[in-house]
Amino acid sequence: MRFSQLLLPTLKETPAEAEVVSHKLMLRAGFIRKLASGIYSYLPLGLKAIRKVEQIVREEMNNAGAQELLLPMVQPADLWQESGRWKKYGPELLRFTDRHQRESCLGPTHEEVITDLVRKNIHSYRNLPVNLYQIQTKFRDEIRPRFGLMRGREFLMKDGYSFDATEKGAEETYEKMKHAYHRIFKRCGLSFRAVEADSGTIGGSFSHEFMVLADTGEDTIVVCGQCAYAANMEKARAMAAPTRPAEPQLPLARVETPGKRKVQAVCEFLGIPPQNLVKTLIYVADGKPVAVLLRGDHEVQEVKLQNLLGATEVRLADDKETFDCTGTPTGYLGPVGLSLPLVADLEVTAMANFTVGANEKNFHLRNVNIGRDFTVGQTADLRMVTAEDRCPLCGGQLGLTRGIEVGHIFKLGTTYSEALKATFLDDQGKEIPFVMGCYGIGVSRAVAAAIEQNHDNDGIIFPVPIAPFQAIILNLSTKDPAITRAAETLYEECRAIGIEVLLDDRDERPGIKFKDADLIGIPFRVMVGNSLTKEGKIEIRERAGGQTTAVSLADTTARLKQMVESAMTNSQL
RNA sequence: CGGGGCGUGGCGCAGUCUGGUUAGCGCGCCUGCCUUGGGAGCAGGAGGUCGGAGGUUCGAAUCCUCUCGCCCCGACCA
């Protein structure tokens, strides 16, 4: 491709709308342009990068036994009503009515459609398993689109769905997909972790998120410094607390704590560490109040609470609600004598002689002990893991990092197949529902994530496998016939041997070409200019690291090929 | 939806508080000269209903009302 003919509108200055680096750079590098909030046009260079990721995804999905198909983007409401999600999904689902007054929606995901397809066409265990995927534009009417391609309303996604005859089969498929995902992101040249994720209300027992590690990521993930353990905050566990200390139980004492409501204030006032205090929080779970006990220095992880209670909605009660159901103002609540359902975080059960609110304004209780002074209903891991915690698997130090979710795999089970009555006959002639899994990859987001992870002050530094072009040839003096001839020759040679190359043949000064080449992040830059005239040398510069190699004109193409191939192989498995 | 901010040539901004000739500046764009290894220089030029509608006024980018769009924080979410 010739730069002079390419729609590549690079910008010197960053448009005011962009906040994060990938968004800024994709605008400046002429990859994308915004049409409306969360809706972008992909320009040729941006599309090329996306196609690279798509192709890797295709190859690995196909290798793992999945088949590509393409499902409709417009979906009838009937199907969504059948699965129950027409009501559940909320305003994120963009709904509209067609000319016949039929209700429809733009597909944000395709469980319904694929399940319908399979139930109508597969009736026997002999045809299982099947694993189907598509790469398609999705639409989700996000509350707040932001960060360019990172969280758009319209975005490109690979979504796959598997159908197995048995739980065991579904688990094997899940593992296959997990493996394929590792290969995909590795091949894309991304630094990532697969983390255990909460499978939410979907009812699945298996779920992993694939997170690209980047400081600007929207999600916090917990990673063990010593072993492979990684999880998102909703799921992360810590090594179990040491068993309850054998210290003797001290007599219960009621102490006055005037005006001391916050954990910190109470602790300072009483001269105790927050690790020795138990706070009592009132939550509203599906409209019903429940008291949650937590060590003073810990925070509730609401998804864990939600899962424990089997609730569809949990939220912290406000001051008024708290007072209404306890008769005590917030700050002085405690478990002793409280007539609400009590759930406790595991850490609390390891504590003895701790301090709690007295359920009376301006008073706390000291030397409280579970069993003697009160009993808890349920105990579970309910808290947010912190950087001080240790790995639940190996005891190593845990760390918190930021990540960008680019992939998510779920074992769905029979939730959708049951709702949509998607069944087959097993080898006993019995009618049973398919066991499903679903597997997503944010393709456009993956490109943004790659840029978040790989850039410098001058622009993008693409990993070779997903770069829009592998190399760029700079003709540094278009008026010089010898230089131009050399650049053109190299360009033709490269194309002939399959190097994806862009020729900067514009009548511009060298500085502009250097800047643009750096900005758009092409891995190898081939410079044809003075050094050819003076020393007979062509320079090849690596975008990552800036290492420059001088070679003779005759050797350039072969050398470049070698460098490109070596970079591609390094990102293979 | 709550809070904050912004809409002025393609991009980045000034001007708005305190209304008053012809609405400026940098970059980009076009023409010519010149220049060619890190976003050159000189000269000339094109391009703006100041987001939109209504109002106040002799006069509105500027003041008032309404409205649309965009960005950030929060709630929310795969």
Side-chain angles (χ1 to χ4, degrees), chain A residues 10-24:
Chain A
T10 57
L11 302 171
K12 258 190 197 178
E13 289 176 289
T14 306
E17 69 188 52
E19 186 72 12
V20 296
V21 72
S22 62
H23 189 195
K24 287 178 184 172

Side-chain angles (χ1 to χ4, degrees), chain A residues 393-406:
Chain A
L393 299 186
C394 74
Q397 188 64 50
L398 291 177
L400 303 184
T401 12
R402 305 290 286 177
I404 300 165
E405 184 188 343
V406 291

Side-chain angles (χ1 to χ4, degrees), chain A residues 117-185:
Chain A
L117 182 75
V118 168
R119 73 178 168 183
K120 283 174 175 160
N121 294 283
I122 295 183
H123 308 286
S124 161
Y125 76 96
R126 292 173 195 271
N127 297 316
L128 296 176
V130 281
N131 193 346
L132 306 164
Y133 75 98
Q134 62 172 343
I135 298 175
Q136 186 201 39
T137 296
K138 294 284 189 279
F139 192 92
R140 294 182 190 171
D141 202 354
E142 292 280 346
I143 285 178
R144 183 146 93 85
R146 58 185 129 179
F147 305 149
L149 294 194
M150 205 75 90
R151 182 174 290 271
R153 293 196 292 167
E154 202 178 280
F155 58 98
L156 197 63
M157 179 171 173
K158 186 283 297 182
D159 51 324
Y161 308 88
S162 66
F163 296 82
D164 275 88
T166 61
E167 286 289 331
K168 185 163 167 292
E171 282 160 26
E172 283 165 12
T173 303
Y174 182 90
E175 287 305 320
K176 252 187 220 169
M177 284 294 106
K178 194 166 137 196
H179 183 237
Y181 271 44
H182 271 101
R183 292 183 56 98
I184 287 167
F185 296 118

Side-chain angles (χ1 to χ4, degrees), chain A residues 46-56 58 156 443 447:
Chain A
L47 183 61
K48 272 181 179 291
I50 284 174
R51 291 279 187 253
K52 287 288 186 76
V53 174
E54 272 184 30
Q55 194 48 35
I56 291 171
R58 279 203 176 87
L156 197 63
V443 174
V447 174

